[in-house]
């Protein structure tokens, strides 16, 4: 009997012990990767999270289905414009956009890669401030600098979104748990721009003026990067005075200058090597993460996807019929290689020297000094400071050895003529740098679409003849100038309303 | 205490009670009060024995096989003369009386006739003649309500098993498998995926030699599966392996040899037909002849010898990679034992040669089952199973050689005018493969030389799995038993892959060239089960069985992978060879999950008429966060034996049993990912030389158990002395909190998917009928006939607002619309109605509902358009004609209609067995699916006339000239809308298949005796001989793609093979 009760007691004890230790037993932590409970503890972790934001611009999703932001910046900025033509390996989705057959299901109009970076920035903005309580070696200034980078990068991403989609959902908090999942509606372009300006103003105060190394100074966002973005945003919003102020901050910093227009060294310094005096914000690729541009542009790849529109020399750079050696340095072997019309900016070291796949790390230049100068020129043109505009244009043209045949001479008070000149000069200067469509659209929409004609002219150059008539009529609809909401998001979120043109 | 030192000698003699002859070798043992053997000895040639005993209070036990065991008290007696009675008569009696017992695997065994839930048991003898390498193949079509569909006919490929329809959206709808009372892991942790993905894994896991199996039972009712809680939502398969029995050693040898044949592929264009078809397709778009500078394959210029010879062949690529396969399976087992110890040991070797070149399987199975009776109270058993396998796959992007770039898929599309081997520039055939870096069809992986790939590339998987299982059984009192099981499962596999340059033809600068990889995946799991079974004796009228069970499971997995690119030679296949390595070539992953559960079950019976069973399981799982870590799974079920009522006695002449059954129970399901309730930060590459970190997932705080609430009712009858038995079951299963892996979320959230989420409620209702009958029985001839039929209807009852209700883009070729509608079944197919081909320009004029032409404002007729205004396409003569449902002259999403549903109306099987004089046995088994539509993707891809892929001969009747009336549109290279998702490709997948025919001959005893064998039989089996169907694809047996939008899509994987098997089994 006694024996039996021992059994019973020990069994009962065993049950109780196992019940209480159950929770501990079932609490398993992953052994690869850091869990949130152990993250956001040190300033090093904070830095690595910020670096993760930049890195996300360079690569596509691990699932591999979507494109990297670095590729999208190019596709969004150039596919709808007139500087490029289809290469032998053009994808049908790319060809569709060039022909203005844009469908919500087209993978190129999927905004997820941009929101992925926004989400990473949101993680830093949400969880970063608490690190200062955990890591006493982190100063408020250092924390602010990191937050400034995240805020500015988020603002830049939203700026790409509003320019491409018009109204977009505004997500300002990280998607960290399933409880934080929302079904958002779109915010108006004006609201998003307001948020962008607010974030940039904060970031301007937070960011450091410069980083210790040249690479970091160009590759990460500093105070003047924020000013450059702010200038671009102000110009998009037609806030000319603010744009000039922002541009002047960059110009007066004395940090930047134009790379001298020496035909032998100019290309190498500015594009092939990168991080030149002129660069303000350049996405830095390296051997571990090569850029996505090799397969897009390199004529050594038999199925390269894009080449230059064959008419850009005639239409933009012009040529000197008497002295063939007298050329605009931005044309041949930069924007177009005469033999095969290939685009050299991202895949060459110089006129006769192409990169190979393993060293394809030409930078993606978000902003450079020439851009800031021309932005100021544009703002001046609409602020009755036309003379300054012409001075700046001439400064850019002199550097580039632009031919007299590509010059025009609008009156300093002729806003319309100045705008055309700026648009043409920007086209020459920033060929294939992902700016052309946004330039066209910005100029076209200004003053209630006063210059809508520039879009039609561009379409006449780039759209295949079969689709031209429908393209011209589509471009009359202002909603068509923005991408549709991606099909996936329309299907998943009942609160999202499709752009009326694509309904 | 003194007795232990003073040994007492006792002597005696043992004789046969009948013939008084001495009994040789009988065991004489001294046993203590707990029936433990203290000492023992055997009788000599004259039946004499002498034994020193330690305590006269003990008893003497005399035992030998085929005699009745005697137990005698010792006391003061020192001389024993014992006569033993033979037990041969008793044995037969026992066999007749014994009732089939059935377990739910937990350890409580219930008489089959007292089961309160639907349960079906298949004896191994029924399936051992099939050339099945895995059990799932063997049970296919033989169990009602169990729908098993093969994933592919390649060796080592798995099958998908569905019990009572889709109750879960989890990638795995496979049931829980319990082997010898312990769950056998079939769901593999997600970390596993990169190394050894998918279904093949499943096939490996079930690698138990069919000849080692005693029986297989299926638990379907939620009340029955509730005791297994999570993982049992899809039903439970219970497998018991053979164990040794008291008797002299029995040696069995079985041999199965078969030849396998690939059923014919759909007829494809020859090289000559292809080279006229392609230029026409291009010209239809460009209006100009094909550019033979860019596409030299179509140049056809005898002066360009190289291209002319290499691209003017008529190659049948499918034939070039196919062969007659074979299959040899040898299995030898020995079993036997005495009073104390029993054993069953088996060794099997299975070798298969697949019908596609490069595929095969070699497998060694061994099993040792030992039982040792320590005393009457304590029994101990150990089982060790070890499997070593080497599976050969073809190389593809997926580890198991499947996917769209697998060898057979590429062979189907590869241009038939290309040569297999290269002709040199002088027109001489060389022995090098023709593997151009790039061709008209593109480059690797879109297309390659399939023969080169099948022969030169390597992809194999070595697997080693060992599962030791120990059990101890302690009978505390006759009504109180405690058992403990512990099972270890060590499963290691290594996948080796190498892609040589010659298989792809790509230049050395690319990372696909000479790419070698090794992935090693190890899992280790420990499963324990402790049972307390209490069956008190409550007298004649009452019976009660209770069980308390504590269970735990701990699974660990570790995967390591390494790869290298551009090794110096195609002979350097190992990743240790130096290559132009890139970052990210070393991967590893570690995962662990744990599960604990307590189960209580009880079954009470009154008067053999009223039976009630209750069970409850409380389970905790490490895959859930602390909010929802524990789940309770209760069940209740009952059986009322109407036939035992006194008023039914007058029917007892023909009615053996008539019972009504009812049940309700809850079982559950866990996600197969771990650590979902953590937000995890993973390292990225470097930016500016600094390592970055990014959050990799959304932390899931609200993930809950998926639960299946099952209601079941059934009738069981047995009539005419067991000659007719009939079971009819109805069930109603409601799955709540459906788990959905990788739920897509709106892109603005930054992440693409929620790794898992509870998304809705799904309901499955259906019935199952199962009949066993013996319609004819005479002295010489016995005819048995079995029939089963099942029907399942699923219905979606609710869905999360985060779930998209539509999927698929109908503005693109080849896409169907998937719509989720509450109250409708899953698997519905929506698309356009195909109305043939526009025969001329007049036919393309848009017409309104009244058939009148739709006119533009200027009075000219409008032509049919596609998806206007986003798209500018106007239909041309020869284009596919789709029904303009709303008569607006515009084919767009508004013209999409319901086309069919992938769920079959009925599934089942039937077959007779003829036994003549107990020697000749002829059995047939047929299985069928009635209703259920499949999307014939193969038909779509072989008639889309849109790329340079080879097409089926159906395109020879394509539209070519105005006025042609045909069902195949004109060829349009990469443009047009001729292959939109339409009813053109939706077909009824009803079929009736003669699954197997077996003729068996049992050799007469005398004949066997000449070979010193106890029994001997030989048989011939033919599998998949005939299929009756209207389905035009390769095979109507098509599985459903996973996920809530899953549909039945036929993508021309290897269909079930025709197999001709010769088998032999001898028992010594």
């Amino acid at each position: 009997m006694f024996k039996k009760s021992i059994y019973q007691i020990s069994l009962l004890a065993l049950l109780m012990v196992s019940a209480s230790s159950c929770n501990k037993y079932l609490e398993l932590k992953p052994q690869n990767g850091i869990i949130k409970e152990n993250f956001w503890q040190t300033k090093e972790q904070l830095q690595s999270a910020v670096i993760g934001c930049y890195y996300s611009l360079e690569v596509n999703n691990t699932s591999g289905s979507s494109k990297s932001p670095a590729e999208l910046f190019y596709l969004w900025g150039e596919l709808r414009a007139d500087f490029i033509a289809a290469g032998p390996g053009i994808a049908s989705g790319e060809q569709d956009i060039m022909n203005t057959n844009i469908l919500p299901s087209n993978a190129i109009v999927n905004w997820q890669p941009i929101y992925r970076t926004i989400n990473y920035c949101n993680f830093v903005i949400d969880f970063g401030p608490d690190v200062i309580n955990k890591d006493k070696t982190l100063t408020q200034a250092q924390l602010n600098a990191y937050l400034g980078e995240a805020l500015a990068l988020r603002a830049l991403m939203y700026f790409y979104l509003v320019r491409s989609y018009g109204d977009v959902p505004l997500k300002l908090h990280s998607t960290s748990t399933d409880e934080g999942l929302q079904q958002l509606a779109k915010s108006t372009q004006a609201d998003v721009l307001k948020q962008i300006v607010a974030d940039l103003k904060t970031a301007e105060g937070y960011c450091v003026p410069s980083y210790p190394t040249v690479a970091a100074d160009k590759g990460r966002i500093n105070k003047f990067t924020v000013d450059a973005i702010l200038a671009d945003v102000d110009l998009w919003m037609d806030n000319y005075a603010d744009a000039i102020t922002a541009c002047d901050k960059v110009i007066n910093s004395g940090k930047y200058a134009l790379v001298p227009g020496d035909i032998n060294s100019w290309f190498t310094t500015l594009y092939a090597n990168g991080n030149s005096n002129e660069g303000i914000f350049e996405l830095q690729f390296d051997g571990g993460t090569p850029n996505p541009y090799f397969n897009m542009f390199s004529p050594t790849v038999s199925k390269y996807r894009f080449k230059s529109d064959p008419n850009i020399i005639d239409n933009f750079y012009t040529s000197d019929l008497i002295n063939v050696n007298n050329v605009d340095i931005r044309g041949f072997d930069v924007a177009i290689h005469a033999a095969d019309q290939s685009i050299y900016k991202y895949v060459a070291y110089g006129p006769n020297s192409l990169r190979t796949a393993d060293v394809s790390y030409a930078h993606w230049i978000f902003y450079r000094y020439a851009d800031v100068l021309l932005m100021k020129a544009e703002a001046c043109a609409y602020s009755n400071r036309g003379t300054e505009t012409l001075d700046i244009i001439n400064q850019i043209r002199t550097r580039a050895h632009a031919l007299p045949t590509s010059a025009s001479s609008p009156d300093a008070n002729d806003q319309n003529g100045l705008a055309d000149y700026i648009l043409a000069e920007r086209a020459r200067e920033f060929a294939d740098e992902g700016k052309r469509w946004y330039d066209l659209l910005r100029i076209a929409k200004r003053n209630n679409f006063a210059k809508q004609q520039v879009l039609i002219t561009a379409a006449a150059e780039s759209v295949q003849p079969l689709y031209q008539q429908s393209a011209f009529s589509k471009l009359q609809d202002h909603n068509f100038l923005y991408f549709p909401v991606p099909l996936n998001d329309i299907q998943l979120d009942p609160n999202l309303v499709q752009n009326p043109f694509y309904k | 205490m003194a007795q232990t030192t003073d040994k007492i000698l006792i002597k005696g003699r043992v004789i046969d009670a009948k013939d008084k002859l001495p009994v040789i070798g009988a065991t004489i043992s001294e046993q203590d009060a707990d029936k433990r053997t203290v000492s023992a000895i055997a009788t000599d040639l004259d039946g004499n024995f002498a034994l020193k005993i330690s305590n006269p209070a003990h008893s003497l036990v005399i035992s030998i096989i085929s005699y009745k065991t005697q137990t005698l008290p010792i006391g003061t007696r020192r001389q024993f003369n014992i006569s033993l009675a033979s037990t041969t008569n008793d044995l037969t009696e026992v066999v007749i009386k014994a009732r089939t017992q059935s377990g739910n695997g937990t350890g409580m065994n219930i008489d089959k006739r007292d089961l309160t839930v639907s349960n079906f048991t298949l004896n191994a003898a029924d399936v051992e003649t099939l050339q099945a390498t895995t059990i799932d193949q063997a049970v296919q079509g033989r169990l009602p309500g169990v729908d098993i569909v093969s994933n592919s006919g390649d060796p080592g490929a798995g099958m998908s098993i569905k019990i009572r329809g889709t109750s879960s959206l989890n990638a795995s709808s496979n049931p829980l498998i319990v082997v010898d009372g312990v769950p056998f892991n079939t769901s593999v942790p997600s970390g596993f995926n990169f190394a050894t993905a998918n279904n093949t894994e499943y096939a490996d896991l079930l690698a138990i030699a069919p000849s080692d199996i005693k029986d297989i039972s299926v638990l379907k009712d939620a009340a029955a599966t509730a005791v297994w809680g999570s993982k049992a939502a899809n039903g439970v398969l219970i497998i018991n392996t053979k164990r040794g029995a008291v008797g002299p050693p029995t040696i069995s040898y079985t041999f199965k040899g078969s030849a396998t044949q690939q059923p014919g592929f759909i007829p494809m264009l020859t090289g000559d037909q292809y080279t006229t078809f392609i230029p026409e397709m291009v010209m239809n778009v460009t209006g100009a002849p094909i550019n033979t500078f860019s596409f030299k394959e179509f140049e056809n210029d005898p002066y360009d010898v190289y291209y002319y010879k290499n691209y003017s062949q008529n190659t049948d690529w499918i034939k070039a990679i196919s062969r007659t396969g074979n299959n040899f399976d040898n299995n030898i087992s020995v079993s036997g034992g005495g009073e104390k110890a029993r054993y069953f040991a088996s060794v099997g070797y299975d070798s298969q040669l697949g019908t596609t070149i490069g595929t095969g399987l070699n497998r060694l199975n061994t099993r040792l089952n030992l039982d040792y009776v320590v005393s009457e109270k304590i029994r101990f058993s150990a089982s060790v199973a070890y499997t070593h396998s080497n599976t050969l796959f073809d190389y593809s992007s997926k580890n198991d050689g499947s996917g769209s770039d697998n060898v057979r898929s590429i062979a189907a599309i590869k241009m038939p005018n290309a040569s297999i081997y290269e002709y040199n520039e002088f027109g001489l055939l060389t022995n090098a493969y023709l593997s151009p870096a790039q061709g008209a069809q593109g480059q690797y992986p879109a297309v390659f030389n399939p023969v080169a790939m099948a022969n030169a590339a390597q992809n194999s998987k070595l697997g080693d799995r060992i599962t030791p299982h120990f059990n101890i059984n302690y009978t505390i009192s006759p009504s109180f038993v405690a058992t403990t099981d512990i099972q270890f499962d060590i499963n290691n596999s290594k996948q080796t892959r190498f892609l040589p340059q010659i298989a792809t033809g790509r230049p050395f600068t690319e990372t696909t060239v000479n790419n070698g990889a090794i992935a090693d995946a190890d899992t280790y799991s420990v499963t324990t089960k402790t049972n307390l079974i209490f069956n008190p004796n409550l007298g004649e009228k009452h019976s009660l069985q209770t069980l308390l069970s504590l269970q735990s499971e701990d699974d660990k997995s570790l995967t390591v992978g390494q790869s290298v690119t551009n090794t110096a030679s195609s002979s350097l296949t190992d990743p240790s060879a130096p290559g132009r390595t890139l970052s990210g070539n070393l991967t590893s992953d570690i995962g662990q999950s744990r599960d604990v559960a307590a189960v209580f079950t009880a079954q009470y019976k009154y008067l053999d008429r009223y039976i009630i069973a209750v069970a409850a399981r409380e389970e905790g799982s490490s895959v859930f966060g602390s909010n929802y870590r524990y789940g309770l799974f209760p069940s209740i079920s009952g059986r009322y034996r109407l036939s035992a009522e006194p008023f039914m006695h007058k029917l007892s002449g023909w009615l053996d049993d008539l019972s009504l059954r009812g049940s309700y129970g809850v079982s559950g399901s866990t996600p197969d990912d771990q650590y979902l309730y953590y937000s995890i930060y993973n390292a990225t590459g470097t930016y500016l030389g600094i390592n970055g970190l990014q959050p990799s997932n959304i932390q899931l705080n609200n993930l809950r158990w998926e639960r299946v609430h099952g209601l079941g009712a059934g009738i069981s009858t047995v009539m005419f002395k067991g000659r007719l038995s009939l079971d009819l079951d109805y069930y109603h299963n409601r799955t709540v909190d459906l788990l959905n892996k990788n739920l897509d979320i709106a892109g603005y959230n930054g992440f693409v998917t929620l790794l898992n989420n509870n998304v809705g409620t799904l309901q499955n209702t259906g019935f199952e009928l199962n009949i066993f009958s013996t319609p004819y029985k005479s002295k010489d001839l016995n005819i048995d006939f079995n029939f089963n039929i099942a029907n399942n209807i699923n219905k979606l009852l609710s869905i999360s607002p985060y779930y998209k209700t539509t999927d698929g883009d109908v503005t693109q070729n080849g896409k169907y619309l998937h719509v989720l509608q509450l109250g409708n079944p899953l698997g519905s197919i929506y698309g356009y109605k195909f109305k043939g081909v526009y025969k001329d320009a007049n036919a393309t004029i848009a017409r309104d509902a009244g058939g009148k032409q739709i006119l533009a404002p200027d009075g000219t007729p409008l032509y049919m358009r596609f998806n206007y205004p986003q798209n500018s396409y106007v239909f041309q003569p020869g284009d596919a004609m789709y029904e303009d449902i709303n008569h607006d002259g515009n084919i767009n999403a508004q013209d999409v209609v319901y086309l069919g549903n992938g769920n079959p109306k009925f599934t089942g099987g039937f077959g007779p067995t003829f036994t003549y004089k107990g020697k000749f046995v002829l059995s047939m088994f047929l299985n069928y699916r009635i209703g259920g539509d499949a999307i014939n993707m193969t038909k779509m891809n072989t008639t889309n006339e849109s790329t340079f892929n080879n097409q089926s001969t159906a395109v020879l009747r394509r539209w070519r000239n105005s006025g042609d009336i045909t069902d195949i549109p004109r060829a349009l290279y990469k443009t047009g809308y001729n292959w939109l998702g339409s009813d053109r490709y939706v077909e009824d997948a009803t079929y009736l298949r003669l699954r197997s025919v077996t003729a068996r001959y049992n050799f007469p005893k005398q004949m066997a005796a000449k070979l010193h064998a106890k029994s001997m039989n030989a048989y011939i089996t033919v599998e998949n001989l005939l299929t009756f169907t209207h389905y035009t694809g390769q095979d109507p047996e098509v599985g459903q793609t996973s996920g809530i939008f899953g549909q039945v899509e036929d993508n021309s994987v290897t269909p079930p093979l025709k197999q001709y098997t010769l088998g032999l089994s001898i028992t010594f």
Side-chain angles (χ1 to χ4, degrees), chain A residues 111-150:
Chain A
W111 60 30
Q112 191 272 336
I114 307 297
Y115 274 109
R116 182 171 56 119
T117 301
I118 290 173
N119 189 34
Y120 293 150
C121 294
N122 283 337
F123 269 89
V124 175
I125 295 161
D126 284 353
F127 300 110
D130 199 36
V131 178
I132 201 159
N133 302 325
K134 306 265 173 60
D135 185 352
K136 299 298 172 204
T137 64
L138 177 69
T139 65
Q140 187 65 45
Q142 280 172 320
L143 171 65
N144 286 350
Y146 290 128
L147 292 177
E149 284 181 84

Side-chain angles (χ1 to χ4, degrees), chain A residues 7 11 15 22-37 39-40 45 47-49 51-56 58 61 63 100-103 105-106 111-112 115-116 119-120 123 127 169 171 175-179 181-184 215-216 219-220 281-284 286 288-289 302-303 358 467 470 474 487-489 491-494 496 501-503, chain B residues 295 438 442-443 474 509 532 548 550 552-554 580 582-583 588-590 592-596 620-624 626-627 629-630 675 677-682 684-695 697-703 744-752 754 757 801-809 811-812 817 867 869-872 975:
Chain A
Y7 274 137
L11 194 71
L15 277 171
C22 240
N23 245 329
K24 211 170 240 175
Y25 181 75
L26 295 176
E27 190 88 43
L28 293 174
K29 289 192 173 68
Q31 296 180 49
N32 36 357
I34 306 169
I35 60 172
K36 193 171 103 194
E37 288 74 7
F39 202 73
W40 308 113
Q45 287 175 339
Q47 170 176 281
S48 61
I51 290 296
C53 298
Y54 289 108
Y55 185 77
S56 69
E58 300 190 338
N61 247 333
S63 64
T100 67
N101 279 332
I102 303 170
L103 292 175
S105 55
N106 194 321
W111 60 30
Q112 191 272 336
Y115 274 109
R116 182 171 56 119
N119 189 34
Y120 293 150
F123 269 89
F127 300 110
K171 192 144 189 349
T175 313
S176 61
T177 72
D178 53 354
E179 284 149 355
L181 220 54
Q182 292 168 281
Q183 297 202 311
L184 293 173
R220 292 174 67 172
F281 185 28
E282 301 181 9
L283 193 58
Q284 319 260 319
D286 57 32
T289 319
S302 57
K303 293 277 181 185
D358 51 338
Y467 301 98
S470 73
K474 283 176 187 174
L487 181 66
N488 183 57
D489 289 37
Q491 286 176 338
L492 285 167
D493 180 357
L496 278 182
F501 180 83
Y502 303 93
K503 268 187 179 168
Chain B
F295 300 111
Q438 190 166 23
Q443 64 188 53
Y474 182 44
T509 49
L532 298 171
L548 178 69
L550 301 174
S552 78
E553 190 177 325
D554 185 345
R580 195 171 60 81
L582 290 160
S583 65
S588 89
D589 197 12
I590 295 172
Q592 184 172 24
S593 67
R594 282 177 177 156
D595 195 282
V596 289
S621 169
S622 70
V623 302
F624 295 107
S626 50
N627 294 355
R629 184 160 286 156
Y630 297 93
Y675 315 126
Y677 52 96
Y678 290 108
S679 176
I680 300 171
Y681 291 74
N682 279 331
T684 64
T686 60
Y687 183 75
L688 292 166
I690 309 171
N691 271 305
L693 278 160
Q694 289 171 347
N697 64 317
I698 300 175
Q699 179 177 331
L700 302 177
N701 293 336
N702 290 323
L703 196 66
D744 285 343
I745 52 172
Y748 58 72
N749 287 299
F751 293 107
V752 186
L754 271 185
N757 202 19
Y802 290 103
Y803 214 100
K804 61 174 156 190
T805 51
T806 57
D807 188 44
D809 179 12
T811 63
Q812 286 180 13
L817 181 69
N867 195 26
Q870 281 106 322
N871 199 299
S872 324
T975 181

